[in-house]
Amino acid sequence: MEKEDILVVEAEILPDGLGSWVIKAINKETGEERFCKTIEDYNAFLNECVYSTQKDNFQAVWNESPKATPEMIADVRQKLMKFYDQINQVEQ
């Protein structure tokens, strides 16, 4: 697979200043940046990126989140797993 044929969306968990988190997501093809307050917002941004590209492949990359607390990272991970479990149940 050619590296040029992969759409990369990078994500990082950041504190939102209110005791919770946001996901900073960046479409590496267009440079578009979005701050997602929910897993659903993050998923919607991923879908927008995939549908607007000419590339055949997609990769979501999670960057290290040095500003996020371990609790924030665990919360995002748990919510991501729950979200994707729900999607998988609907598709079956």
Side-chain angles (χ1 to χ4, degrees), residues 7-90:
L7 168 66
V8 175
V9 176
E10 291 185 351
E12 178 182 358
I13 302 165
L14 298 172
D16 69 356
L18 303 171
S20 192
W21 51 263
V22 296
I23 299 171
K24 177 183 176 183
I26 302 171
N27 178 333
K28 298 304 284 184
E29 180 179 36
T30 65
E32 182 181 359
E33 194 174 273
R34 176 116 14 118
F35 289 88
C36 307
K37 295 179 181 180
T38 66
I39 298 303
E40 292 79 10
D41 289 346
Y42 171 68
N43 187 64
F45 181 67
L46 292 179
N47 285 330
E48 288 173 30
C49 293
V50 168
Y51 290 124
S52 66
T53 188
Q54 299 297 316
K55 299 186 186 248
D56 293 327
N57 300 288
F58 167 76
Q59 182 178 13
V61 176
W62 284 90
N63 293 329
E64 189 174 343
S65 301
K67 296 178 183 176
T69 66
E71 293 80 15
M72 289 176 188
I73 294 168
D75 187 44
V76 169
R77 181 175 291 136
Q78 182 263 331
K79 287 179 178 173
L80 269 174
M81 288 192 292
K82 182 178 177 184
F83 179 79
Y84 288 118
D85 282 348
Q86 289 172 342
I87 288 175
N88 288 335
Q89 288 176 2
V90 169

